Amino acid sequence: MEEKSKTASEKPKKKDPREKLLKPNGKPLILKSSPHLLSNYSVEKIMRGVIFALLPTTILGVVFFGWRALLMILVGIISCVLTEVIFDLISGKKFKLTDGTSVLTGLLLVLTLPPSFPISGVILGSVVAIFIGKMIFGGLGYNIFNPALLGRAFLQASYPVKMTTWTLPKFVGADAVTGATPLGLFKFEHVLTNIKPLILGNVGGSIGETSAIAIILGGIFILIKKYADWRIPLSYIGTVFILGGIFWLIDPVQYPNPIFHVFAGGLMLGAFFMATDMVTSPITNKGSWIFGIGAGVVLITIRLFGGLPEGVMYSIIFMNGLVPLINRYTQPKVFGEVKK
Amino acid sequence: MSQKKVTLFQEFLKGIWKENPILVSLLGLCPTLAVTVSAENGLAMGLAATFVVVSSSVIVSILRKIISPQVRIASFIVIIATFVTIADRFLAAYYPDISTNLGPFIPLIIVNCMILGRQEAFASKNNIGRSFLDAFGVGIGFTVVLVLLGGVREILGSGTLFGVEVMWNNFHPWAVMILPPGAFLALGLMIGVSNWLNELGEKK
């Protein structure tokens, strides 16, 4: 029996007339389903662009908070990448490190941490961000929540004291080592910080959130390059401005003015770099507006009526959870569809 | 009757891994998530539930031909409630600390679907011996998972195990692990690991 099958399998080795059709120039003809148009964007390119856009913020963070900030950033990036490698090794997947998403996650995570945060905590946050925030859901493109913010939320719940111990930048004064953030100052001591240091970044806060001008520079870059949807930062910051303004008009003593709302805290960083994460934001234009407005409402609620001085992280994570629902209800109509 | 083919030992073993109430059937999650802030609490909860499930399974099995099908759930609940009260009073009398730690979750064993499920699915259809072994296996499986979950959460969340320091000196406990999110994270990861081990076992 075996010999018979052998001869049978050798027979069709005669030249197949179809061979010429399938291999026009000696190379196999590749048949693919649509889409055939290749876009100019790729994950690698976008990630490189976003990391590039974060450079001014990163550099200013290191200038303001010293070499320790740089060490934290490096540790964060390396542990994020290592976590992904180890997970890929265990689950037998192919490496996808070239897309740079882990590098971006690590960078974003550290930029939202206070400058005096322990290094072991940075490693823990990075591992949680990549492992629980991304890989468990199936890797890039499947995660529900922004991995960097999830890592930060884990750290916030784990080390509530260390996450709210802020070191002031070097230029503020030699005698003051730790101090409150502008939002904390306002919430608990009712001291309003001037706008100029807020824009430059010469205030207490997380490594990457203090300087509004550096973030806006990078943000404009990614918006022009279309690496992020402009609707989200616009609606997010706009909602915060308008809602904050309404409350300020009602009672200017108790509530801070809207410009302070926009420039203080992590709103800029969150609006330009976290909320616009392509995986965890809505895919429709209408959905993007809803996403931004919802995040703004949640943020103002936390800032003015919640127990915490800042709520950018929770507002974005909250809206991340609603994204599947938003996508579902904002599906554009198919052309020619009749309303029932 | 395919059940007759199952040996008595298998009847006992299946509750520990193959039909583990928490890891596989996802039953009784309320006490699982709520009380496992320490290994001690997990152990106490597991043992109390084991006592209740074994005793009530035996009684239900004895009475299975008397209880009319229309009122069976109510009858099961009365039987379970009897043993839960015994367990509750016993803990309050001999281990008042644990009793205060577990709080309302001991009386809530009455409505633990893991226990009611055993009565409905097994004890009311099988003889006393099998019912006893089945309930015992399920109880042990429940206890093991609760102790593991409580242990993991206690080690990471407070740096101790059964109240003894186990982590290195300058370890900062992850407070989140003894909060509700930690329960969900740890349980989810445990279920994931058990599914992964099952898959590995099947491949071999």
Side-chain angles (χ1 to χ4, degrees), chain A residues 130-160:
Chain A
I130 295 293
F131 182 59
I132 293 177
K134 189 168 106 181
M135 302 317 282
I136 275 194
F137 289 102
L140 178 70
Y142 297 98
N143 46 318
I144 304 170
F145 303 106
N146 186 322
L149 284 178
L150 202 88
R152 187 182 195 275
F154 189 88
L155 292 178
Q156 171 95 55
S158 288
Y159 306 123

Side-chain angles (χ1 to χ4, degrees), chain A residues 55-87:
Chain A
L55 272 184
T57 315
T58 315
I59 291 169
L60 265 187
V62 174
V63 168
F64 280 138
F65 298 108
W67 293 110
R68 195 170 185 284
L70 186 67
L71 177 70
M72 281 170 71
I73 291 168
L74 290 179
V75 168
I77 291 174
I78 290 170
S79 30
C80 274
V81 171
L82 273 183
T83 311
E84 187 163 357
V85 169
I86 291 169
F87 188 90

Side-chain angles (χ1 to χ4, degrees), chain A residues 11-263:
Chain A
K11 255 187 184 174
K13 270 203 170 175
K14 265 190 206 169
K15 215 171 186 188
D16 192 340
R18 287 172 300 178
E19 189 116 321
K20 219 177 181 184
L21 273 174
L22 287 168
K23 294 179 180 175
N25 304 324
K27 283 178 195 165
L29 185 69
I30 299 167
L31 293 174
K32 261 182 166 180
S33 63
S34 60
H36 300 295
L37 278 175
L38 288 177
S39 112
N40 199 15
Y41 296 105
S42 65
V43 178
E44 294 83 13
K45 201 173 168 190
I46 294 172
M47 289 305 143
R48 244 182 284 135
V50 176
I51 292 169
F52 177 70
L54 276 168
L55 272 184
T57 315
T58 315
I59 291 169
L60 265 187
V62 174
V63 168
F64 280 138
F65 298 108
W67 293 110
R68 195 170 185 284
L70 186 67
L71 177 70
M72 281 170 71
I73 291 168
L74 290 179
V75 168
I77 291 174
I78 290 170
S79 30
C80 274
V81 171
L82 273 183
T83 311
E84 187 163 357
V85 169
I86 291 169
F87 188 90
D88 282 347
L89 276 180
I90 292 175
S91 64
K93 272 189 195 161
K94 260 175 93 183
F95 294 135
K96 268 191 173 176
L97 287 179
T98 45
D99 64 16
T101 43
S102 299
V103 177
L104 182 64
T105 302
L107 180 61
L108 275 177
L109 172 70
V110 178
L111 286 182
T112 61
L113 294 178
S116 59
F117 202 69
I119 298 291
S120 61
V122 176
I123 298 173
L124 172 66
S126 311
V127 171
V128 170
I130 295 293
F131 182 59
I132 293 177
K134 189 168 106 181
M135 302 317 282
I136 275 194
F137 289 102
L140 178 70
Y142 297 98
N143 46 318
I144 304 170
F145 303 106
N146 186 322
L149 284 178
L150 202 88
R152 187 182 195 275
F154 189 88
L155 292 178
Q156 171 95 55
S158 288
Y159 306 123
V161 178
K162 290 196 184 72
M163 281 299 276
T164 44
T165 310
W166 309 98
T167 321
L168 292 178
K170 291 174 187 167
F171 311 110
V172 170
D175 54 335
V177 181
T178 58
T181 60
L183 280 168
L185 273 177
F186 188 84
K187 182 135 201 161
F188 303 121
E189 289 158 50
H190 226 80
V191 179
L192 197 63
T193 314
N194 285 330
I195 298 300
K196 206 180 137 194
L198 281 180
I199 292 176
L200 287 175
N202 208 1
V203 290
S206 304
I207 293 173
E209 72 173 20
T210 57
S211 170
I213 192 105
I215 299 168
I216 292 175
L217 268 180
I220 289 174
F221 173 77
I222 59 168
L223 291 189
I224 289 175
K225 284 275 186 181
K226 290 190 180 165
Y227 293 157
D229 190 349
W230 58 271
R231 292 170 189 88
I232 294 173
L234 180 70
S235 56
Y236 191 7
I237 297 175
T239 309
V240 169
F241 186 82
I242 293 168
L243 264 185
I246 292 173
F247 280 107
W248 180 63
L249 286 177
I250 293 173
D251 188 353
V253 181
Q254 200 191 340
Y255 301 117
N257 61 59
I259 300 171
F260 174 78
H261 264 308
V262 169
F263 287 107

Side-chain angles (χ1 to χ4, degrees), chain B residues 45-122:
Chain B
M45 186 62 178
L47 289 182
T50 307
F51 164 73
V52 173
V53 74
V54 169
S55 323
S56 43
S57 272
V58 169
I59 298 292
V60 166
S61 181
I62 291 171
L63 300 177
R64 71 184 188 278
K65 284 177 184 146
I66 308 171
I67 298 173
S68 97
Q70 285 87 350
V71 293
R72 65 183 194 286
I73 301 287
S75 320
F76 297 161
I77 291 286
V78 171
I79 294 167
I80 295 167
T82 313
F83 289 106
V84 170
T85 314
I86 297 174
D88 183 31
R89 293 297 90 203
F90 176 81
L91 279 178
Y94 290 95
Y95 303 97
D97 292 343
I98 292 178
S99 182
T100 27
N101 276 346
L102 296 180
F105 290 101
I106 289 289
L108 276 176
I109 297 177
I110 296 173
V111 285
N112 190 322
C113 42
M114 182 268 280
I115 293 171
L116 190 62
R118 264 9 266 172
Q119 319 307 331
E120 169 76 10
F122 202 89

